[in-house]
């Protein structure tokens, strides 16, 4: 009989947000796989419990090597509880590999629902919540980061990102350049903690604020692109959007493809609009 893999959500700040089932699962586990065993110790002390089984580390550096060991234990009938530093395992945290391995071995996978920085930030942002997409962490290299943002420039759903505090200014600046300086956003810092802060405003304004230095865990929520109004996606508007992306460093071919997809028109139509705008430009 195979075991069970339990993905246990942990508090993103306040330990009292822990669901009651978390304590029960930690005490019943044969193995507790923790992203940081020291943080697990602090959490169990706050909950007034002790892990019932063996505690092992499971973090980015050893995830690939440790997954087969845990998968073997699951296949042998063990109950493995996976916890990360905050929030739900596998969401921008270790866990996906183990879930995939458990599924492959026919092992039951369940979860202890818990606090989520993604949903919490979205809820308090003041931005539309009916449709959203989670983009995780952006690439660290400026060129790759800008490329990822260009892919999302025409996305109409609200966008949610994680970011490190020391990269926040650069990320908000890049967002202002690619999405537009006036695009609305919210920077959510230290959610549920003592110094919780939600700063709302246009991207350019938020980038200027972040230049002063920001500390703590950061989640950024950005309003999606506005859908074109009836008749708005005319040639001039298509050409303007392509020019915007080219100015941000995107190749014309890619810019035309993305603008066409966002406007819901054939690529040829966007291409013709760019050519027409170039021909209609000032002549010397």
């Amino acid at each position: 009989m195979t075991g069970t893999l339990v993905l246990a959500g942990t508090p993103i700040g306040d330990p009292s947000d822990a669901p009651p089932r978390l304590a029960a699962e930690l005490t019943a586990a044969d193995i507790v796989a923790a992203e940081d065993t020291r943080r697990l110790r602090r959490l169990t002390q706050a909950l007034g419990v002790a892990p019932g089984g063996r505690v092992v580390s499971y973090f980015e550096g050893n995830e690939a090597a440790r997954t087969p060991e845990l998968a073997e234990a699951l296949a042998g009938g063990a109950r493995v509880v996976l916890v990360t530093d905050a929030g739900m395992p596998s969401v921008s945290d270790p866990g996906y590999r183990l879930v995939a391995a458990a599924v492959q071995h026919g092992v039951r996978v369940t979860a202890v629902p818990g606090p989520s920085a993604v949903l919490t930030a979205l809820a308090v942002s003041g931005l539309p919540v009916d449709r959203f997409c989670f983009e995780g962490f952006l690439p660290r290299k400026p060129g790759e980061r800008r490329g990822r943002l260009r892919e999302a420039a025409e996305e109409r759903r609200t966008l949610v990102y994680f970011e490190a505090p020391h990269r926040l200014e650069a990320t908000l600046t890049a967002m202002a350049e690619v999405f537009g300086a006036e695009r609305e956003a919210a920077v959510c810092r230290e959610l549920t903690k003592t110094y919780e802060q939600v700063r709302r405003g246009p991207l350019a304004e938020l980038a200027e604020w972040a230049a002063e230095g920001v500390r703590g865990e950061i989640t950024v929520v950005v309003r999606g692109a506005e859908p074109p109004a009836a008749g708005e996606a005319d040639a001039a508007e298509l050409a303007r959007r392509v020019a915007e992306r080219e100015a941000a460093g995107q190749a014309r071919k890619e810019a035309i493809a993305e603008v066409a997809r966002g406007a819901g028109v054939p690529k040829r139509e966007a291409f013709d609009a760019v050519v027409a705008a170039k021909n209609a430009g000032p002549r010397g």
Side-chain angles (χ1 to χ4, degrees):
M1 184 176 180
T2 58
T4 300
L5 173 60
V6 182
L7 306 177
T10 56
I12 59 176
D14 190 337
S16 64
D17 289 336
R21 251 188 73 206
L22 177 59
E25 288 291 354
L26 289 171
T27 57
D30 297 306
I31 302 173
V32 177
E35 184 178 9
D36 186 326
T37 56
R38 292 167 299 181
R39 289 200 182 193
L40 172 64
R41 190 178 306 114
R42 289 197 292 270
L43 176 61
T44 54
Q45 287 172 350
L47 298 177
V49 300
R54 183 164 58 101
V55 175
V56 299
S57 63
Y58 189 76
F59 60 99
E60 185 179 2
N62 73 354
E63 184 178 4
R66 179 142 281 170
T67 293
E69 171 193 332
L70 293 174
E72 185 177 347
L74 286 164
R79 189 173 188 85
V80 176
V81 175
L82 176 61
V83 293
T84 52
D85 291 349
M88 182 59 68
S90 82
V91 180
S92 286
D93 279 333
Y96 170 74
R97 284 190 177 93
L98 186 55
V99 172
V103 171
Q104 187 176 7
H105 283 78
V107 170
R108 177 173 177 257
V109 179
T110 187
V112 177
S116 163
V118 176
L119 295 180
T120 303
L122 183 68
V124 303
S125 69
L127 297 171
V129 298
D130 53 333
R131 298 179 66 222
F132 72 94
C133 55
F134 174 56
E135 293 289 315
F137 284 96
L138 287 165
R140 297 182 182 185
K141 295 182 179 179
E144 294 177 5
R145 180 170 55 223
R146 193 179 297 273
R148 183 76 61 78
L149 290 172
R150 283 196 295 258
E151 291 176 4
E154 297 296 330
E155 175 59 63
R156 298 179 190 176
R157 293 172 294 178
T158 299
L159 302 155
V160 184
Y161 296 89
F162 286 160
E163 190 50 281
H166 62 279
R167 290 196 297 269
L168 181 62
E169 179 193 1
T171 291
L172 291 171
T173 298
M175 286 178 171
E177 292 172 354
V178 177
F179 294 161
E182 297 303 313
R183 180 85 73 93
E184 292 180 69
V187 176
C188 305
R189 184 179 75 86
E190 295 289 87
L191 288 168
T192 76
K193 299 178 184 177
T194 303
Y195 298 104
E196 176 180 285
Q197 180 183 24
V198 180
R199 182 89 179 200
R200 304 174 181 88
L203 282 167
E205 180 182 300
L206 291 173
E208 186 176 343
W209 163 75
E212 300 173 6
V214 179
R215 303 173 71 177
E217 301 287 336
I218 304 291
T219 305
V220 180
V221 186
V222 184
R223 182 183 287 274
E226 292 293 335
E232 184 182 308
D234 57 15
E237 175 64 15
L238 293 172
R240 184 192 67 77
R241 293 183 183 183
V242 172
E244 247 183 19
R245 281 154 185 71
E246 284 192 273
Q250 188 172 21
R252 176 171 293 181
K253 184 177 180 181
E254 293 177 1
I256 288 172
E258 288 185 11
V259 168
R261 183 168 61 250
V265 300
K267 284 189 289 185
R268 183 70 197 185
E269 186 173 332
F271 174 79
D272 289 344
V274 172
V275 173
K278 183 177 179 182
N279 293 338
R283 299 173 184 270

